[in-house]
Amino acid sequence: MSEIIEITDSAQDYLAELLAKQNVEGIAVRIFITQPGTPYAETCLAYCRPGEEEPTDERLDLDKLAVYVDKHSIPFLEEAVVDFNADRMGGQLTIKAPNAKMPKVNADSPLEDRVNYILYSEINPGLAAHGGEIKLIELTENQVAVLAFGGGCQGCAAVDLTLKEGVERTLMERIPELAGIRDVTDHTDTTNAYYR
């Protein structure tokens, strides 16, 4: 597990110092990614008091501190580096997570990650020319991907064609376990539509 994320000695020193200032027995650091596998992914580092960790978190016991890593974020944190660079102003903690936005997905990855990967690596680049994008809202219990069409796709007259022909076909071919696609977007709002 420790090979997934590298926390440099200088970062460990800095974090251990911050934790000591909190005066909370057993306080740790928690690392997670919000909206992993999407262009909006953000890598976050937070204080984690005893009991605030999730039961599924992976715990790393480093020399100077304990770190909890959100289980769902692990594939996105591969090759991540947490570093601290001291300077005259005190210094800066940096987190580089090259796979946060584009995880390495494979056949064993969760269905949600695989759908997001195809949306962001194959489908959205083609829609971007029209100012459109598609987001996965949820996967239903019966494996239907609920998608929201944003930007130039919302209210677009060609959306049925795009949805049925392109997006659904691509996703169903790539991910045979998907039962289908559903669209939650309100296409009566044509404010940003590319085709009306």
Side-chain angles (χ1 to χ4, degrees):
M1 172 66 203
S2 55
E3 64 277 0
I4 284 177
I5 186 161
E6 181 192 339
I7 302 176
T8 64
D9 288 341
S10 60
Q12 286 187 47
D13 289 341
Y14 176 71
L15 290 168
E17 207 175 295
L18 284 181
L19 291 176
K21 289 178 184 166
Q22 299 305 304
N23 285 327
V24 175
E25 186 67 39
I27 192 167
V29 167
R30 186 166 189 268
I31 298 175
F32 56 97
I33 297 180
T34 58
Q35 300 189 57
T38 76
Y40 315 106
E42 299 246 347
T43 308
C44 304
L45 215 136
Y47 292 124
C48 186
R49 291 173 177 78
E52 288 181 345
E53 70 278 1
E54 295 291 324
T56 54
D57 283 357
E58 295 272 349
R59 182 182 162 109
L60 304 180
D61 286 303
L62 306 175
D63 292 341
K64 299 177 176 123
L65 69 149
V67 177
Y68 288 98
V69 182
D70 168 55
K71 186 178 167 64
H72 186 65
S73 300
I74 289 172
F76 305 92
L77 284 166
E78 264 185 46
E79 298 164 34
V81 179
V82 179
D83 195 13
F84 179 77
N85 297 312
D87 60 28
R88 288 195 320 264
M89 308 301 283
Q92 186 177 7
L93 189 72
T94 57
I95 306 171
K96 292 189 179 81
N99 297 304
K101 291 177 169 49
M102 273 294 154
K104 293 178 174 164
V105 295
N106 57 41
D108 301 328
S109 298
L111 197 56
E112 185 179 342
D113 292 350
R114 288 186 286 151
V115 170
N116 270 326
Y117 184 78
I118 290 165
L119 285 178
Y120 287 103
S121 64
E122 295 179 35
I123 293 170
N124 279 341
L127 296 174
H130 297 214
E133 69 162 359
I134 300 175
K135 282 190 203 156
L136 175 67
I137 299 301
E138 66 168 331
L139 274 171
T140 65
E141 286 170 14
N142 48 6
Q143 310 300 43
V144 172
V146 180
L147 305 176
F149 288 67
C153 293
Q154 185 171 356
C156 178
V159 80
D160 277 350
L161 191 68
T162 308
L163 175 68
K164 286 287 172 264
E165 295 303 308
V167 177
E168 187 164 22
R169 190 176 66 235
T170 304
L171 284 170
M172 303 293 278
E173 275 172 14
R174 291 282 199 299
I175 308 173
E177 307 96 290
L178 269 183
I181 309 293
R182 201 165 73 227
D183 172 16
V184 295
T185 313
D186 174 9
H187 290 289
T188 56
D189 175 2
T190 59
T191 325
N192 299 314
Y194 192 78
Y195 294 113
R196 289 188 194 162

